[in-house]
Amino acid sequence: MLASGVQVGQLMTIGIMAIALGLDAFSLGIGIGMKGIRLWDILKISIIIGLFHVIMPLTGMFMGQYVSLLLGNVATAAGGCLLILLGAHMVYSSVRGEEATVFDHRTLWGLIIFALSVSIDSFSVGVSLGMFATDIVLTVLVFGLFGGLLSIAGLLLGRRVSGWVGEYGEAFGGLILLGFGIKFLL
């Protein structure tokens, strides 16, 4: 069965947003990978990040649907504004050079804190997406897949390159979210 143009467009939008959200895990993964990390730790971190990239937007989507029921059409504008603010914050943090909190990725709490820190923006995006009609299961699975894959890529790349890529990854992700926020407002 062939997908309609609208379905293809929605899938592309979800994929691009998943990449934008996963770039945070990618960029922070580069920094961690540069300090030296075992392959087993890369796998553990990436699986947990992938799970958080499913749980956080899913929670946000349910909240967004509730807000949408309460506010109606105002919710679309609020979701767009939320994406703009989130994207601007990601760009600002990247330009300002804020560094991730130091943690030990080998401990359970360190792993959870890291996964939460790179997935918290997925919650906000989930709130925004919950205000729109979207396929929830597909969206969170794509977010989780890209979050996990990009964290693997960042951690592996971090083992091999210098740190300049990480800063640009977060800024690029923020610009993508800004663009989608503006699109939702128009």
Side-chain angles (χ1 to χ4, degrees), residues 55-72:
I55 294 167
M56 297 300 284
L58 185 61
T59 305
M61 284 180 180
F62 287 129
M63 288 184 67
Q65 287 177 344
Y66 178 71
V67 170
S68 181
L69 288 174
L70 292 176
L71 300 178

Side-chain angles (χ1 to χ4, degrees), residues 12-112:
M12 286 178 56
T13 299
I14 290 169
I16 291 169
M17 291 181 89
I19 292 169
L21 293 171
L23 284 175
D24 212 13
F26 176 78
S27 63
L28 292 176
I30 290 173
I32 292 169
M34 287 179 10
K35 296 175 184 171
I37 188 169
R38 298 179 315 175
L39 291 176
W40 174 247
D41 289 332
I42 289 174
L43 182 64
K44 281 191 320 189
I45 290 170
S46 299
I47 288 171
I48 297 297
I49 287 173
L51 288 174
F52 270 75
H53 269 78
V54 169
I55 294 167
M56 297 300 284
L58 185 61
T59 305
M61 284 180 180
F62 287 129
M63 288 184 67
Q65 287 177 344
Y66 178 71
V67 170
S68 181
L69 288 174
L70 292 176
L71 300 178
N73 291 336
V74 175
T76 302
C81 289
L82 186 60
L83 285 175
I84 289 171
L85 290 173
L86 180 62
H89 177 69
M90 285 175 69
V91 171
Y92 174 76
S93 294
S94 174
V95 170
R96 192 168 151 203
E98 291 179 355
E99 200 167 304
T101 308
V102 177
F103 68 94
D104 184 2
H105 63 271
R106 293 173 297 255
T107 67
L108 177 63
W109 286 111
L111 185 58
I112 289 173

Side-chain angles (χ1 to χ4, degrees), residues 64 67-86 124-125 127-133 177-186:
V67 170
S68 181
L69 288 174
L70 292 176
L71 300 178
N73 291 336
V74 175
T76 302
C81 289
L82 186 60
L83 285 175
I84 289 171
L85 290 173
L86 180 62
S124 302
V125 170
V127 170
S128 299
L129 289 175
M131 295 178 193
F132 309 107
L177 292 180
L178 265 169
F180 280 110
I182 291 169
K183 178 184 177 226
F184 287 148
L185 288 178
L186 299 177

